[in-house]
Amino acid sequence: MVNRMKIIMLGAPGAGKGTQAKMIADKYQIPHISTGDIFRANIKNGTELGKEAKTYMDKGELVPDELTVRILLDRVAQPDCEKGYVLDGFPRTIPQAEVLDQELTKRNEKIDYAINVEVPDENIVRRMSGRRACVSCGATYHLVHIPPKKEGLCDKCGTELILRDDDKEETVKNRLGVYHDQTQPLIEYYSNKGVLQSVDGTIDMMDVFKGITDILGE
Ligand code: ADP
Ligand code: ADP
Ligand code: ZN
């Protein structure tokens, strides 16, 4: 068993980061940490943090770094993160990556793998309009590619699935623009650190996962 595996998922919104991150978390027994899931849980529970995050998320903009970084650092300081974790949707900007690196350096640690899931923009809008999400347990499905066993209901917990507000076409286009401007530069950032690995995200999800486990090891 690999010790202290710290993994970052990179890729456009809808590339399949969450889908793969959940499988990685299961296989390697490390926590799956999604800043988007943390924000959505806060929105659902009506917290102050949720209210603030929602104003940005609804427009397809990024939640400010200061707020996002604080939440993420709190989360990775929890005891279950000692053996590693897979980050899904964080970092999304160079400053976020820099703060994470500084924190890790203090503890003599580093990111071991940054996995870039590559899917061209043309495929993204189609993927997002078919995405259905469970706000209760965070599971995601696709109407065509990864349908739930019972139409409209989560396989894992039975909750009714929804189309996320920010998965509507106009917002998705905005999110893609934000991705190219602010998040894509992270590919070079992690490439320069020698930890970047890219996989083709357009193929069947199990084949994408095979590519990832080839990288991470058995
Ligand atoms: P997706 O999986 O489709 O890329 P996420 O669930 O990761 O979407 O994120 C949804 C929204 O939450 C983003 O559009 C953004 O507004 C906010 N968000 C999530 N993670 C971050 C982050 N690291 N920095 C800033 N905003 C974030
Ligand atoms: P991200 O976390 O990068 O935003 P998701 O994992 O939520 O992306 O996937 C986006 C949508 O695409 C979901 O509806 C998901 O079920 C679907 N999906 C994920 N991986 C694949 C794949 N390899 N082929 C087809 N559809 C996929
Ligand atoms: Zn569920």
Side-chain angles (χ1 to χ4, degrees), residues 13 35-36 40 57 61 63 68 89 92 96 131 164 175:
T35 38
R40 279 185 290 277
M57 291 168 77
E61 291 170 7
V63 177
T68 308
R92 257 181 161 93
Q96 290 181 11
R131 171 155 70 181
R164 276 165 46 179
R175 289 164 65 197

Side-chain angles (χ1 to χ4, degrees), residues 25-202:
D26 274 352
K27 180 174 168 77
Y28 298 99
Q29 293 292 300
I30 50 178
H32 164 219
I33 301 176
S34 154
T35 38
D37 284 351
I38 295 173
F39 290 139
R40 279 185 290 277
N42 275 275
I43 292 173
K44 197 174 159 219
N45 295 329
T47 69
E48 282 307 310
L49 166 68
K51 281 178 201 148
E52 184 167 0
K54 190 175 189 317
T55 61
Y56 299 96
M57 291 168 77
D58 282 350
K59 290 184 275 187
E61 291 170 7
L62 294 183
V63 177
D65 285 342
E66 201 260 331
L67 192 63
T68 308
V69 161
R70 189 152 32 91
I71 286 158
L72 191 277
L73 292 184
D74 279 353
R75 180 63 189 87
V76 297
Q78 302 296 313
D80 66 329
C81 289
E82 259 169 32
K83 51 187 175 142
Y85 41 77
V86 51
L87 301 185
D88 162 18
F90 185 100
R92 257 181 161 93
T93 65
I94 297 275
Q96 290 181 11
E98 288 172 345
V99 176
L100 177 62
D101 274 341
Q102 284 158 14
E103 277 301 308
L104 290 172
T105 305
K106 277 188 210 161
R107 288 183 253 158
N108 244 327
E109 295 176 8
K110 66 173 189 62
I111 293 300
D112 302 299
Y113 301 95
I115 297 175
N116 180 29
V117 184
E118 295 182 305
V119 175
D121 285 9
E122 305 86 83
N123 302 21
I124 294 290
V125 177
R126 224 175 323 136
R127 274 231 185 148
M128 302 298 246
S129 58
R131 171 155 70 181
R132 291 297 179 272
C134 173
V135 280
S136 185
C137 77
T140 46
Y141 303 86
H142 190 280
L143 289 182
V144 180
H145 305 297
I146 306 166
K149 294 197 182 78
K150 280 196 206 133
E151 197 184 320
L153 298 180
C154 179
D155 289 352
K156 298 198 175 88
C157 71
T159 304
E160 203 166 327
L161 301 174
I162 59 146
L163 170 67
R164 276 165 46 179
D165 282 340
D166 62 342
D167 279 352
K168 308 212 163 115
E169 190 168 335
E170 272 319 296
T171 318
V172 169
K173 288 192 176 137
N174 200 12
R175 289 164 65 197
L176 267 177
V178 169
Y179 168 75
H180 289 298
D181 287 348
Q182 306 198 51
T183 309
Q184 210 170 10
L186 290 172
I187 294 174
E188 200 188 331
Y189 180 93
Y190 287 107
S191 172
N192 289 339
K193 291 191 177 291
V195 295
L196 186 79
Q197 301 275 356
S198 291
V199 294
D200 177 2
T202 64

Side-chain angles (χ1 to χ4, degrees), residues 5 8 10 69 178 203:
M5 198 181 237
I8 282 173
L10 294 175
V69 161
V178 169
I203 57 180

